[in-house]
Amino acid sequence: QGLHSDFSASGKHLEVHVPLVDIIAGLGPTVFCPGTHGSLDGSADPAERAIDWYFLDEKNCGTIPGFSYARLAPAGAITIYDANVYHGGSANNGTVPRPVLQLSFGASLEDIDARNYLRSVFKEDPQRRLGVLEAVSAYRKALG
């Protein structure tokens, strides 16, 4: 999974990752580019925009030593970050899967709808996607 942000505005979505197995280097830990939250908020300053282009648009923040880090984590460790932070899963070169529980929280219903995380989930299996959407709807209704 290449470097990306999950949402274009900072402070609108919070992501929580909980690995269900120990995430060691060979299992492809998530790579984070610290300080990139807010970078996509549309600065008009040409210097800021040039920096954003080099480090974010061109994905260089993940290749320059000191500008990113891979988050190794034991099973059950919690990682919390703004969905606007650039991140991405590195290659899993291990022999086992790396299941990670991911929880996403939006600041408002409008922000949740704007992200529409499930839009691209299960593109190849519309029936399964429908089942997931129904389960999410039931969960939201239960929470009130």
Side-chain angles (χ1 to χ4, degrees), residues 48-110:
E48 284 185 31
R49 194 56 219 134
I51 291 169
D52 288 350
W53 171 82
Y54 182 77
F55 288 106
L56 305 179
D57 298 345
E58 296 297 309
K59 313 295 190 243
N60 288 320
C61 64
T63 61
I64 300 171
F67 282 89
S68 65
Y69 68 93
R71 172 81 165 117
L72 306 179
I78 298 172
T79 301
I80 301 171
Y81 63 96
D82 187 315
N84 185 244
V85 168
Y86 263 66
H87 65 283
S90 53
N92 183 350
N93 296 315
T95 58
V96 297
R98 59 164 185 228
V100 175
L101 173 64
Q102 178 182 345
L103 304 171
S104 299
F105 299 91
S108 68
L109 286 175
E110 291 79 21

Side-chain angles (χ1 to χ4, degrees), residues 21-47:
V21 298
D22 291 343
I23 304 297
I24 58 175
L27 286 185
T30 301
V31 173
F32 291 95
C33 295
T36 56
H37 61 287
S39 298
L40 297 177
D41 288 346
S43 172
D45 180 348

